[in-house]
Amino acid sequence: MKYKRFGRTNMNVSVVGLGAWEIGGNWGPIEEEHALKLLNLAYINGVNFFDTAPVYGFGKSEEVIGKFLNQIPRDKVYIATKCGLEWDSRGRIRNNLKKDRVLKEIDDSLTRLNTDYIDLYQIHWPDPNTSLEETSEALQKILDDGKARYIGVSNLNAHQIEELCEYIDIVSTQNYYNMLVRNVEKELFPIIKKFNLTLIPYSPLAKGLLTGKMTEDFEPSKNDPRSGDRIFWDKKLFLENLNKVEKIKEISNRLGKPLSQIAINWLLFHEEVSTVIAGTKNEKHLIENIKASDWEMTKDLFDEINKILF
């Protein structure tokens, strides 16, 4: 495993991290024993960055990671979690970044994670009903109390990030970014550079499209999380992307490297990226993703792929 300084922090994170969305059961049910096995498998193969959120399984993902932390030295891993989404007894989710809510969320997360600090505490989604100034007051108190080491954001736009930086020091932004979903480059790369942030891409494999296993007739069911994603419901866009994937598969076959590793290394080629969080419930796929760190993409290969993507 290769490691990289996480932006301007003192954390050296594995370039391939583990996203724990699936561990919460959001992509179909998962047994706790299997989830713990995945976490430990990632850890013994060099992964030291684990990203979760309270809303993943309505606390389940954090709870499982808390049990995982019981089994290893806490200072050997970096735990990232989030705040800003709450749910009711019927599982209905709403945005809430009010100061008192954020201060409650950090304590709830610490309890579930069985730890006394979070390495990276992130705003999960913006809350249109709460000012960023109010939210930042809570986040600053969390920092001052030692409950989190660093603050980051997720899914905020450039204007929101710039405003937030007036109130509090943030070190990272986490966004939906991969070879097929690239709006981050135009919208956020300038602000990332301006404030010296680091980028954590999520869904690096485009929710399965960049595994190379989908065909033209793929159509997600209503309960499939992909059903609300434009790259799947927009049939024209889906077919255009599928054509790009087929061309990149030819490169994959030529190099003898899995398409998933090419997708991860394409992201890591960008200096803005420190770690790529790839989630999975499959042990084989987990190891395949981790082994992306065994090799690096060349400039020539990067350029060859970009000619396909543009």
Side-chain angles (χ1 to χ4, degrees), residues 6 8-9 11 80-83 97 118-125 135 139 143 148-156 161 164 168-175 197-198 200:
F6 188 79
R8 49 190 161 79
T9 75
M11 301 192 298
T81 192
K82 309 177 186 76
C83 64
L97 284 171
I118 305 297
D119 295 286
L120 180 67
Y121 200 52
Q122 305 159 100
I123 292 175
H124 201 159
W125 286 90
T135 303
L139 295 174
L143 286 175
R149 297 176 62 199
Y150 300 103
I151 299 298
V153 298
S154 177
N155 303 302
L156 267 65
I161 291 174
L164 186 66
I168 192 169
D169 182 40
I170 65 172
V171 299
S172 62
T173 177
Q174 182 179 148
N175 298 87
L197 306 179
T198 191
I200 310 169

Side-chain angles (χ1 to χ4, degrees), residues 34-93:
H34 182 59
L36 284 168
K37 187 176 182 180
L38 288 169
L39 291 165
N40 279 287
L41 186 61
Y43 175 68
I44 64 176
N45 280 278
V47 173
N48 71 357
F49 186 86
F50 297 84
D51 178 85
T52 184
V55 76
Y56 298 167
F58 302 140
K60 179 182 177 182
S61 178
E62 286 188 328
E63 288 171 356
V64 174
I65 291 178
K67 293 179 181 180
F68 162 66
L69 292 179
N70 274 340
Q71 305 171 4
I72 61 167
R74 174 64 181 89
D75 61 356
K76 297 297 183 184
V77 295
Y78 301 110
I79 302 298
T81 192
K82 309 177 186 76
C83 64
L85 295 179
E86 64 177 347
W87 60 91
D88 62 19
S89 59
R90 295 172 61 183
R92 294 174 299 188
I93 300 168

Side-chain angles (χ1 to χ4, degrees), residues 5 12 18 25 56 60 73 76 101 127-128 130 149 167 182 187 195 201 225-226 253 261-262 270 293 295 304:
R5 182 63 60 89
N12 285 306
L18 182 66
Y56 298 167
K60 179 182 177 182
K76 297 297 183 184
R101 173 62 189 178
D127 175 8
T130 306
R149 297 176 62 199
Y167 311 125
R182 304 179 59 184
E187 296 175 6
F195 291 102
R226 291 170 289 201
N253 294 333
Q261 292 184 8
I262 291 176
H270 296 82
S293 70
W295 61 280
E304 182 182 0

Side-chain angles (χ1 to χ4, degrees), residues 222-235:
K222 289 184 180 180
N223 295 326
D224 190 317
R226 291 170 289 201
S227 62
D229 191 324
R230 182 175 174 237
I231 66 170
F232 292 98
W233 60 254
D234 184 330
K235 199 63 177 180

Side-chain angles (χ1 to χ4, degrees), residues 157-169:
N157 63 36
H159 175 74
Q160 291 164 335
I161 291 174
E162 186 154 29
E163 180 186 349
L164 186 66
C165 286
E166 296 177 11
Y167 311 125
I168 192 169
D169 182 40

Side-chain angles (χ1 to χ4, degrees), residues 11 14 30 34 64 75 105 108 139 152 169 172 180 197 217 221 244 249 251 255 263 268-269 289 292 296-297 308 310:
M11 301 192 298
S14 52
I30 180 171
H34 182 59
V64 174
D75 61 356
E105 278 205 56
D108 290 345
L139 295 174
D169 182 40
S172 62
L180 304 177
L197 306 179
D217 59 353
S221 65
K244 293 175 183 178
K249 275 174 67 176
I251 297 175
L255 297 177
L268 289 170
F269 190 86
N289 293 340
E296 294 181 7
M297 184 166 288
I308 296 170
F310 281 106

